[in-house]
């Protein structure tokens, strides 16, 4: 799987320069549970090029507003997206920090699984 060049340029450290906190098990579960639904993956894909208004998402994804609102709520509560209100419209966008934490966590799993098993006694 190739890394997204846009994500690889983002910092995963806090502004003070200290290392970002590792992904906690409950946070990993929340993120992975949110990603397990195909409609939510479609929503994330629709947001990959920047913020989108709910009206555009309902049209592009051919979803009813109530169904889309439910999935947006799950993604927002998991920390995968953020919302910004402008007048009467709400715009949604990806939350890069959460995506980077998940990427790093998966990368750590990939590295750790390459270690051979210790000999049996």
């Amino acid at each position: 799987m190739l890394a997204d060049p846009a994500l690889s340029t983002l910092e995963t450290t806090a502004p003070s320069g200290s290392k970002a906190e590792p992904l906690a098990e409950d946070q990993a579960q929340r993120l992975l549970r949110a990603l397990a639904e195909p409609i939510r993956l479609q929503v994330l894909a629709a947001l990959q090029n920047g913020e989108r208004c709910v009206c555009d998402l309902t049209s592009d994804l051919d979803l009813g507003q109530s169904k889309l609102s439910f999935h947006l709520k799950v993604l927002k509560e998991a920390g995968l997206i953020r919302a910004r209100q402008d007048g009467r419209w709400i715009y949604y966008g990806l939350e890069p920090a959460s995506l980077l934490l998940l990427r790093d966590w998966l990368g750590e799993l990939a590295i750790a699984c390459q270690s051979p098993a210790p000999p049996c006694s």
Side-chain angles (χ1 to χ4, degrees):
M1 184 162 106
L2 297 173
D4 184 342
L7 288 180
S8 64
T9 61
L10 294 173
E11 299 272 333
T12 58
T13 56
S16 65
S18 62
K19 184 73 176 155
E21 290 294 317
L23 192 61
E25 186 176 329
D26 64 330
Q27 189 179 11
Q29 288 175 357
R30 220 174 18 258
L31 292 169
L32 293 172
R33 193 173 297 127
L35 292 170
E37 168 61 47
I39 290 175
R40 293 194 279 271
L41 290 176
Q42 291 175 344
V43 171
L44 293 179
L47 297 174
Q48 72 182 347
N49 293 318
E51 284 187 334
R52 304 286 304 279
C53 177
V54 171
C55 58
D56 291 335
L57 290 171
T58 56
S59 173
D60 292 350
L61 299 173
D62 195 28
L63 291 173
Q65 187 169 354
S66 63
K67 189 172 192 173
L68 177 62
S69 292
F70 169 77
H71 291 293
L72 289 170
K73 177 183 175 204
V74 172
L75 290 168
K76 187 176 176 196
E77 287 175 352
L80 289 165
I81 64 172
R82 64 184 184 285
R84 176 181 64 85
Q85 187 163 357
D86 186 6
R88 65 182 197 139
W89 301 108
I90 298 177
Y91 294 87
Y92 289 90
L94 296 175
E95 188 58 67
S98 293
L99 297 172
L100 292 170
L101 280 172
L102 186 58
R103 179 198 66 184
D104 293 347
W105 180 75
L106 290 170
E108 290 171 13
L109 287 177
I111 291 168
C113 74
Q114 295 174 14
S115 300
C120 294
S121 53

